[in-house]
Amino acid sequence: TAGSAFTIKKPTLWQGRENPYLYKVVSRLIKDGQVIDEMVQPLGLRKYEIVAGKGFYLNGEKYPMYGVTRHQDWWGLGSALKNENHDFDLATIMDVGATTVRFAHYQQSDYLYSRCDSLGLIIWAEIPFVNRVTGQEAENCRNQLREMIRQSFNHPSIYVWGLHNEVYQPHQYTKELTQSLHDLAKTEDPDRYTVSVNGYGHMEHPVNLVADIQGMNRYFGWYEKKIQDIKPWVENLEKEYPHQKLMLTEYGADANLNHQTEYLGDALNWTKEFYPETFATKTHEYQWSVIAAHPYIIASYLWNTFDFCAPMWVRGGVPARNMKGLVTFDRKIKKDSYFWYKANWSKEPVLYLTQRRNWDREKKETSVTVYSNIGTPKVYLNGKELTGIREGYTPVHYIIDNITLDMGKNIVKTVVVKDGKTYEDEIEWVYNGEKKRDSDQSVNKEEHAGF
């Protein structure tokens, strides 16, 4: 064997989406003047640092971790994806404005990781040690982690190795195995972080605190408690565990686009068959505003970019489907929540009226919500400009309360003029009398079931 050493003077750093500059390392075997083998590997020069309570730093600069998750499956294809499918998903993730992706809950395509190197997405790769434990998987886990690290070591986009997701009883076995995985990762790759993920939300859980980062999956308002309980939860952790590196590694709610209502409480019983898009939108609006205001949450990863297959489920009126995605399983429809994040995260102009699928209105007196990252919008109802617009949870969130619909068809339109360009969005609602859905939307389930 032979080695090479080289020095790069004044290197260009790999700076995430801002400048994902890649060098390449070309290794050649030459015999009798002929190249008999060659390998090309990416080289991105960067430094990742997490400061507990403050945030994520890339090359010494604070870097926003706008996070999504992604399952590697498509409607009609399963997991047998072509590169063009990966490219479509990554283009969608880039469009929404994400800066970081959790690829869960298993090693995904090396092509995907390579594309993230080029796009500047900061990513999390993990092994499929998830939900269930047998007591027999220790060597399998270690082999998978060792192989993943060795195969993916040179991808500058990867900042963390995921060790387990929501694995519990027997607690002592799970904790000891996770500790051994952490030690293995540090032996193979001492410069990257490790993370394990818990669904119970309290730091003192017996399988916690054996990785560099403690991830927690929290579905307030969906599997437990109320939407607003995310705020006291994170504030308590800030107070009790100020030196812990914490990430919110899943959150969200299911959204069946055929289910719509204006009548929304602060919690939804997920065991029922009614999964309205409007409730999921409300969840994301409030919970992102809390995340954005709490740098103690080093990174957050909404669950999920796309609806995906869940074979054991029959929920929300659809068999074998998890509908927590921002985009439908067939990738054809972007839900309201997609535009919420795009307005908050992206530098591209966004002007969007919500509730376009909730067209059969239940209330004569209602409200209009607009997402705009290009300034305060003007809003019109049936050609008449509405007054009383107010800012909602973040600076891109605009609401007009107490508008009165006409009987029959109603046209809602919004307009913003910015830098000489006019942006517009328009939807149609129909009101034919008062209606109210009789649905129990309360739940006080203490912990979710790991889905």
Side-chain angles (χ1 to χ4, degrees), residues 259-291:
H259 297 174
Q260 303 287 340
T261 184
E262 293 179 74
Y263 288 97
L264 298 173
D266 295 326
L268 189 70
N269 189 335
W270 57 276
T271 61
K272 294 187 178 295
E273 291 300 300
F274 189 56
Y275 284 13
E277 180 189 12
T278 45
F279 183 84
T281 304
K282 178 178 179 177
T283 300
H284 284 291
E285 286 175 347
Y286 180 76
Q287 295 192 353
W288 168 250
S289 75
V290 173
I291 294 164

mmCIF file of all heavy atoms in Angstrom, residues 259-291:
data_model
loop_
_atom_site.group_PDB
_atom_site.id
_atom_site.type_symbol
_atom_site.label_atom_id
_atom_site.label_comp_id
_atom_site.label_asym_id
_atom_site.label_seq_id
_atom_site.Cartn_x
_atom_site.Cartn_y
_atom_site.Cartn_z
ATOM 1 N N HIS A 259 -60.217 15.255 3.832
ATOM 2 C CA HIS A 259 -60.814 15.617 5.123
ATOM 3 C C HIS A 259 -60.506 17.090 5.407
ATOM 4 O O HIS A 259 -59.353 17.482 5.515
ATOM 5 C CB HIS A 259 -60.243 14.749 6.246
ATOM 6 C CG HIS A 259 -60.554 13.293 6.096
ATOM 7 N ND1 HIS A 259 -60.027 12.335 6.935
ATOM 8 C CD2 HIS A 259 -61.344 12.629 5.216
ATOM 9 C CE1 HIS A 259 -60.479 11.144 6.568
ATOM 10 N NE2 HIS A 259 -61.268 11.299 5.522
ATOM 11 N N GLN A 260 -61.543 17.900 5.541
ATOM 12 C CA GLN A 260 -61.390 19.340 5.752
ATOM 13 C C GLN A 260 -62.442 19.815 6.744
ATOM 14 O O GLN A 260 -63.577 19.331 6.740
ATOM 15 C CB GLN A 260 -61.567 20.100 4.430
ATOM 16 C CG GLN A 260 -60.639 19.677 3.309
ATOM 17 C CD GLN A 260 -59.206 20.127 3.497
ATOM 18 O OE1 GLN A 260 -58.930 21.064 4.264
ATOM 19 N NE2 GLN A 260 -58.279 19.479 2.796
ATOM 20 N N THR A 261 -62.059 20.769 7.590
ATOM 21 C CA THR A 261 -63.029 21.400 8.485
ATOM 22 C C THR A 261 -62.480 22.709 9.029
ATOM 23 O O THR A 261 -61.264 22.885 9.139
ATOM 24 C CB THR A 261 -63.406 20.480 9.664
ATOM 25 O OG1 THR A 261 -64.415 21.116 10.457
ATOM 26 C CG2 THR A 261 -62.204 20.178 10.551
ATOM 27 N N GLU A 262 -63.376 23.618 9.356
ATOM 28 C CA GLU A 262 -62.998 24.847 10.061
ATOM 29 C C GLU A 262 -63.022 24.650 11.573
ATOM 30 O O GLU A 262 -62.474 25.478 12.311
ATOM 31 C CB GLU A 262 -63.971 25.968 9.709
ATOM 32 C CG GLU A 262 -63.919 26.425 8.276
ATOM 33 C CD GLU A 262 -64.924 27.524 8.021
ATOM 34 O OE1 GLU A 262 -64.686 28.659 8.470
ATOM 35 O OE2 GLU A 262 -65.977 27.245 7.404
ATOM 36 N N TYR A 263 -63.672 23.611 12.036
ATOM 37 C CA TYR A 263 -63.821 23.392 13.474
ATOM 38 C C TYR A 263 -62.612 22.612 13.997
ATOM 39 O O TYR A 263 -62.513 21.398 13.835
ATOM 40 C CB TYR A 263 -65.121 22.643 13.769
ATOM 41 C CG TYR A 263 -66.337 23.503 13.559
ATOM 42 C CD1 TYR A 263 -67.048 23.450 12.367
ATOM 43 C CD2 TYR A 263 -66.761 24.396 14.544
ATOM 44 C CE1 TYR A 263 -68.165 24.257 12.165
ATOM 45 C CE2 TYR A 263 -67.872 25.204 14.357
ATOM 46 C CZ TYR A 263 -68.568 25.127 13.163
ATOM 47 O OH TYR A 263 -69.662 25.934 12.979
ATOM 48 N N LEU A 264 -61.685 23.337 14.595
ATOM 49 C CA LEU A 264 -60.431 22.749 15.035
ATOM 50 C C LEU A 264 -60.214 22.992 16.519
ATOM 51 O O LEU A 264 -60.219 24.132 16.974
ATOM 52 C CB LEU A 264 -59.263 23.362 14.262
ATOM 53 C CG LEU A 264 -59.266 23.156 12.744
ATOM 54 C CD1 LEU A 264 -58.147 23.965 12.112
ATOM 55 C CD2 LEU A 264 -59.138 21.685 12.396
ATOM 56 N N GLY A 265 -60.006 21.919 17.266
ATOM 57 C CA GLY A 265 -59.580 22.069 18.643
ATOM 58 C C GLY A 265 -58.065 22.117 18.705
ATOM 59 O O GLY A 265 -57.385 22.352 17.707
ATOM 60 N N ASP A 266 -57.526 21.867 19.895
ATOM 61 C CA ASP A 266 -56.085 21.883 20.093
ATOM 62 C C ASP A 266 -55.499 20.481 20.194
ATOM 63 O O ASP A 266 -54.305 20.322 20.446
ATOM 64 C CB ASP A 266 -55.743 22.669 21.354
ATOM 65 C CG ASP A 266 -56.112 24.134 21.223
ATOM 66 O OD1 ASP A 266 -56.006 24.666 20.096
ATOM 67 O OD2 ASP A 266 -56.534 24.745 22.228
ATOM 68 N N ALA A 267 -56.337 19.469 20.019
ATOM 69 C CA ALA A 267 -55.868 18.084 20.034
ATOM 70 C C ALA A 267 -56.793 17.265 19.150
ATOM 71 O O ALA A 267 -57.973 17.573 19.006
ATOM 72 C CB ALA A 267 -55.862 17.529 21.458
ATOM 73 N N LEU A 268 -56.227 16.230 18.538
ATOM 74 C CA LEU A 268 -57.018 15.360 17.660
ATOM 75 C C LEU A 268 -56.754 13.909 18.037
ATOM 76 O O LEU A 268 -55.597 13.504 18.174
ATOM 77 C CB LEU A 268 -56.636 15.600 16.197
ATOM 78 C CG LEU A 268 -57.528 14.911 15.168
ATOM 79 C CD1 LEU A 268 -58.898 15.550 15.137
ATOM 80 C CD2 LEU A 268 -56.901 15.003 13.784
ATOM 81 N N ASN A 269 -57.813 13.157 18.209
ATOM 82 C CA ASN A 269 -57.653 11.749 18.562
ATOM 83 C C ASN A 269 -57.270 10.965 17.318
ATOM 84 O O ASN A 269 -58.094 10.657 16.480
ATOM 85 C CB ASN A 269 -58.966 11.207 19.157
ATOM 86 C CG ASN A 269 -58.776 9.821 19.741
ATOM 87 O OD1 ASN A 269 -57.876 9.082 19.339
ATOM 88 N ND2 ASN A 269 -59.612 9.477 20.682
ATOM 89 N N TRP A 270 -55.986 10.636 17.217
ATOM 90 C CA TRP A 270 -55.451 10.021 16.011
ATOM 91 C C TRP A 270 -56.014 8.631 15.722
ATOM 92 O O TRP A 270 -55.833 8.103 14.625
ATOM 93 C CB TRP A 270 -53.926 9.937 16.101
ATOM 94 C CG TRP A 270 -53.430 9.180 17.305
ATOM 95 C CD1 TRP A 270 -53.256 9.666 18.565
ATOM 96 C CD2 TRP A 270 -53.069 7.809 17.358
ATOM 97 N NE1 TRP A 270 -52.796 8.689 19.398
ATOM 98 C CE2 TRP A 270 -52.669 7.535 18.687
ATOM 99 C CE3 TRP A 270 -53.034 6.782 16.420
ATOM 100 C CZ2 TRP A 270 -52.248 6.278 19.091
ATOM 101 C CZ3 TRP A 270 -52.616 5.529 16.822
ATOM 102 C CH2 TRP A 270 -52.231 5.278 18.146
ATOM 103 N N THR A 271 -56.687 8.018 16.701
ATOM 104 C CA THR A 271 -57.258 6.695 16.451
ATOM 105 C C THR A 271 -58.542 6.762 15.639
ATOM 106 O O THR A 271 -59.047 5.750 15.178
ATOM 107 C CB THR A 271 -57.546 5.971 17.779
ATOM 108 O OG1 THR A 271 -58.494 6.743 18.534
ATOM 109 C CG2 THR A 271 -56.279 5.802 18.584
ATOM 110 N N LYS A 272 -59.095 7.963 15.486
ATOM 111 C CA LYS A 272 -60.333 8.101 14.728
ATOM 112 C C LYS A 272 -60.036 8.180 13.242
ATOM 113 O O LYS A 272 -58.892 8.184 12.809
ATOM 114 C CB LYS A 272 -61.116 9.327 15.221
ATOM 115 C CG LYS A 272 -61.611 9.165 16.655
ATOM 116 C CD LYS A 272 -62.519 10.302 17.059
ATOM 117 C CE LYS A 272 -63.045 10.086 18.478
ATOM 118 N NZ LYS A 272 -63.920 8.911 18.585
ATOM 119 N N GLU A 273 -61.090 8.267 12.432
ATOM 120 C CA GLU A 273 -60.944 8.199 10.987
ATOM 121 C C GLU A 273 -60.865 9.564 10.332
ATOM 122 O O GLU A 273 -60.699 9.646 9.116
ATOM 123 C CB GLU A 273 -62.129 7.415 10.390
ATOM 124 C CG GLU A 273 -62.106 5.939 10.726
ATOM 125 C CD GLU A 273 -60.839 5.257 10.200
ATOM 126 O OE1 GLU A 273 -60.615 5.273 8.978
ATOM 127 O OE2 GLU A 273 -60.061 4.741 11.026
ATOM 128 N N PHE A 274 -60.960 10.642 11.101
ATOM 129 C CA PHE A 274 -61.018 11.980 10.525
ATOM 130 C C PHE A 274 -59.691 12.689 10.732
ATOM 131 O O PHE A 274 -59.333 13.051 11.855
ATOM 132 C CB PHE A 274 -62.171 12.766 11.172
ATOM 133 C CG PHE A 274 -62.458 14.077 10.496
ATOM 134 C CD1 PHE A 274 -62.759 14.131 9.137
ATOM 135 C CD2 PHE A 274 -62.428 15.263 11.209
ATOM 136 C CE1 PHE A 274 -63.032 15.337 8.514
ATOM 137 C CE2 PHE A 274 -62.698 16.473 10.605
ATOM 138 C CZ PHE A 274 -62.995 16.511 9.245
ATOM 139 N N TYR A 275 -58.932 12.872 9.637
ATOM 140 C CA TYR A 275 -57.580 13.436 9.677
ATOM 141 C C TYR A 275 -57.530 14.705 8.835
ATOM 142 O O TYR A 275 -56.937 14.733 7.759
ATOM 143 C CB TYR A 275 -56.574 12.433 9.105
ATOM 144 C CG TYR A 275 -56.193 11.265 9.991
ATOM 145 C CD1 TYR A 275 -56.907 10.956 11.144
ATOM 146 C CD2 TYR A 275 -55.114 10.453 9.665
ATOM 147 C CE1 TYR A 275 -56.546 9.878 11.937
ATOM 148 C CE2 TYR A 275 -54.738 9.379 10.451
ATOM 149 C CZ TYR A 275 -55.468 9.090 11.592
ATOM 150 O OH TYR A 275 -55.108 8.030 12.374
ATOM 151 N N PRO A 276 -58.145 15.793 9.269
ATOM 152 C CA PRO A 276 -58.254 16.974 8.401
ATOM 153 C C PRO A 276 -56.915 17.665 8.141
ATOM 154 O O PRO A 276 -56.091 17.842 9.044
ATOM 155 C CB PRO A 276 -59.194 17.893 9.175
ATOM 156 C CG PRO A 276 -59.080 17.460 10.603
ATOM 157 C CD PRO A 276 -58.832 15.989 10.557
ATOM 158 N N GLU A 277 -56.727 18.081 6.895
ATOM 159 C CA GLU A 277 -55.546 18.850 6.528
ATOM 160 C C GLU A 277 -55.430 20.119 7.361
ATOM 161 O O GLU A 277 -54.327 20.537 7.728
ATOM 162 C CB GLU A 277 -55.592 19.216 5.041
ATOM 163 C CG GLU A 277 -54.389 20.016 4.579
ATOM 164 C CD GLU A 277 -54.533 20.560 3.171
ATOM 165 O OE1 GLU A 277 -55.654 20.522 2.620
ATOM 166 O OE2 GLU A 277 -53.517 21.038 2.619
ATOM 167 N N THR A 278 -56.562 20.722 7.659
ATOM 168 C CA THR A 278 -56.551 21.993 8.389
ATOM 169 C C THR A 278 -55.959 21.842 9.785
ATOM 170 O O THR A 278 -55.319 22.769 10.295
ATOM 171 C CB THR A 278 -57.973 22.567 8.481
ATOM 172 O OG1 THR A 278 -58.883 21.508 8.837
ATOM 173 C CG2 THR A 278 -58.408 23.162 7.150
ATOM 174 N N PHE A 279 -56.149 20.695 10.423
ATOM 175 C CA PHE A 279 -55.553 20.480 11.744
ATOM 176 C C PHE A 279 -54.035 20.355 11.628
ATOM 177 O O PHE A 279 -53.290 20.913 12.445
ATOM 178 C CB PHE A 279 -56.131 19.236 12.418
ATOM 179 C CG PHE A 279 -55.588 19.018 13.808
ATOM 180 C CD1 PHE A 279 -56.137 19.667 14.893
ATOM 181 C CD2 PHE A 279 -54.489 18.189 14.016
ATOM 182 C CE1 PHE A 279 -55.619 19.492 16.182
ATOM 183 C CE2 PHE A 279 -53.965 18.001 15.290
ATOM 184 C CZ PHE A 279 -54.536 18.660 16.370
ATOM 185 N N ALA A 280 -53.568 19.635 10.615
ATOM 186 C CA ALA A 280 -52.127 19.511 10.410
ATOM 187 C C ALA A 280 -51.506 20.876 10.145
ATOM 188 O O ALA A 280 -50.419 21.195 10.652
ATOM 189 C CB ALA A 280 -51.832 18.559 9.258
ATOM 190 N N THR A 281 -52.185 21.707 9.364
ATOM 191 C CA THR A 281 -51.679 23.048 9.084
ATOM 192 C C THR A 281 -51.555 23.849 10.377
ATOM 193 O O THR A 281 -50.532 24.508 10.627
ATOM 194 C CB THR A 281 -52.612 23.782 8.109
ATOM 195 O OG1 THR A 281 -52.757 23.003 6.919
ATOM 196 C CG2 THR A 281 -52.063 25.150 7.754
ATOM 197 N N LYS A 282 -52.583 23.785 11.210
ATOM 198 C CA LYS A 282 -52.550 24.497 12.489
ATOM 199 C C LYS A 282 -51.387 24.010 13.350
ATOM 200 O O LYS A 282 -50.684 24.813 13.996
ATOM 201 C CB LYS A 282 -53.878 24.300 13.222
ATOM 202 C CG LYS A 282 -53.939 24.966 14.589
ATOM 203 C CD LYS A 282 -55.301 24.760 15.244
ATOM 204 C CE LYS A 282 -55.348 25.404 16.630
ATOM 205 N NZ LYS A 282 -56.682 25.283 17.266
ATOM 206 N N THR A 283 -51.156 22.699 13.358
ATOM 207 C CA THR A 283 -50.056 22.122 14.134
ATOM 208 C C THR A 283 -48.724 22.694 13.687
ATOM 209 O O THR A 283 -47.904 23.143 14.503
ATOM 210 C CB THR A 283 -50.046 20.592 13.981
ATOM 211 O OG1 THR A 283 -51.279 20.060 14.464
ATOM 212 C CG2 THR A 283 -48.883 19.969 14.744
ATOM 213 N N HIS A 284 -48.488 22.701 12.385
ATOM 214 C CA HIS A 284 -47.203 23.173 11.872
ATOM 215 C C HIS A 284 -47.035 24.676 12.086
ATOM 216 O O HIS A 284 -45.934 25.139 12.407
ATOM 217 C CB HIS A 284 -47.062 22.803 10.399
ATOM 218 C CG HIS A 284 -46.738 21.363 10.182
ATOM 219 N ND1 HIS A 284 -45.523 20.816 10.533
ATOM 220 C CD2 HIS A 284 -47.475 20.338 9.667
ATOM 221 C CE1 HIS A 284 -45.513 19.522 10.236
ATOM 222 N NE2 HIS A 284 -46.689 19.212 9.716
ATOM 223 N N GLU A 285 -48.094 25.436 11.907
ATOM 224 C CA GLU A 285 -47.995 26.884 12.103
ATOM 225 C C GLU A 285 -47.521 27.201 13.520
ATOM 226 O O GLU A 285 -46.552 27.953 13.707
ATOM 227 C CB GLU A 285 -49.348 27.552 11.834
ATOM 228 C CG GLU A 285 -49.721 27.629 10.366
ATOM 229 C CD GLU A 285 -51.123 28.183 10.153
ATOM 230 O OE1 GLU A 285 -51.896 28.270 11.140
ATOM 231 O OE2 GLU A 285 -51.458 28.511 9.003
ATOM 232 N N TYR A 286 -48.197 26.622 14.506
ATOM 233 C CA TYR A 286 -47.842 26.956 15.884
ATOM 234 C C TYR A 286 -46.491 26.350 16.274
ATOM 235 O O TYR A 286 -45.630 27.025 16.862
ATOM 236 C CB TYR A 286 -48.920 26.490 16.865
ATOM 237 C CG TYR A 286 -48.542 26.832 18.293
ATOM 238 C CD1 TYR A 286 -48.660 28.133 18.772
ATOM 239 C CD2 TYR A 286 -48.010 25.868 19.143
ATOM 240 C CE1 TYR A 286 -48.279 28.471 20.066
ATOM 241 C CE2 TYR A 286 -47.622 26.194 20.441
ATOM 242 C CZ TYR A 286 -47.757 27.493 20.891
ATOM 243 O OH TYR A 286 -47.362 27.829 22.164
ATOM 244 N N GLN A 287 -46.288 25.072 15.947
ATOM 245 C CA GLN A 287 -45.104 24.398 16.461
ATOM 246 C C GLN A 287 -43.820 24.913 15.819
ATOM 247 O O GLN A 287 -42.792 25.011 16.488
ATOM 248 C CB GLN A 287 -45.271 22.884 16.362
ATOM 249 C CG GLN A 287 -46.413 22.424 17.271
ATOM 250 C CD GLN A 287 -46.502 20.937 17.477
ATOM 251 O OE1 GLN A 287 -45.799 20.155 16.849
ATOM 252 N NE2 GLN A 287 -47.387 20.520 18.374
ATOM 253 N N TRP A 288 -43.853 25.278 14.532
ATOM 254 C CA TRP A 288 -42.652 25.875 13.961
ATOM 255 C C TRP A 288 -42.330 27.204 14.637
ATOM 256 O O TRP A 288 -41.156 27.524 14.866
ATOM 257 C CB TRP A 288 -42.772 26.075 12.445
ATOM 258 C CG TRP A 288 -41.651 26.944 11.959
ATOM 259 C CD1 TRP A 288 -41.723 28.217 11.499
ATOM 260 C CD2 TRP A 288 -40.250 26.613 11.984
ATOM 261 N NE1 TRP A 288 -40.469 28.716 11.225
ATOM 262 C CE2 TRP A 288 -39.537 27.746 11.514
ATOM 263 C CE3 TRP A 288 -39.526 25.482 12.359
ATOM 264 C CZ2 TRP A 288 -38.152 27.775 11.407
ATOM 265 C CZ3 TRP A 288 -38.137 25.512 12.257
ATOM 266 C CH2 TRP A 288 -37.464 26.640 11.785
ATOM 267 N N SER A 289 -43.343 27.982 14.981
ATOM 268 C CA SER A 289 -43.087 29.272 15.626
ATOM 269 C C SER A 289 -42.379 29.081 16.963
ATOM 270 O O SER A 289 -41.518 29.881 17.336
ATOM 271 C CB SER A 289 -44.387 30.060 15.808
ATOM 272 O OG SER A 289 -45.187 29.548 16.864
ATOM 273 N N VAL A 290 -42.709 28.026 17.688
ATOM 274 C CA VAL A 290 -42.037 27.736 18.964
ATOM 275 C C VAL A 290 -40.607 27.268 18.711
ATOM 276 O O VAL A 290 -39.657 27.712 19.375
ATOM 277 C CB VAL A 290 -42.828 26.686 19.768
ATOM 278 C CG1 VAL A 290 -42.046 26.255 21.016
ATOM 279 C CG2 VAL A 290 -44.197 27.234 20.155
ATOM 280 N N ILE A 291 -40.430 26.384 17.740
ATOM 281 C CA ILE A 291 -39.084 25.899 17.404
ATOM 282 C C ILE A 291 -38.179 27.069 17.021
ATOM 283 O O ILE A 291 -37.044 27.178 17.481
ATOM 284 C CB ILE A 291 -39.170 24.883 16.242
ATOM 285 C CG1 ILE A 291 -39.915 23.612 16.692
ATOM 286 C CG2 ILE A 291 -37.785 24.538 15.722
ATOM 287 C CD1 ILE A 291 -40.385 22.747 15.540
#
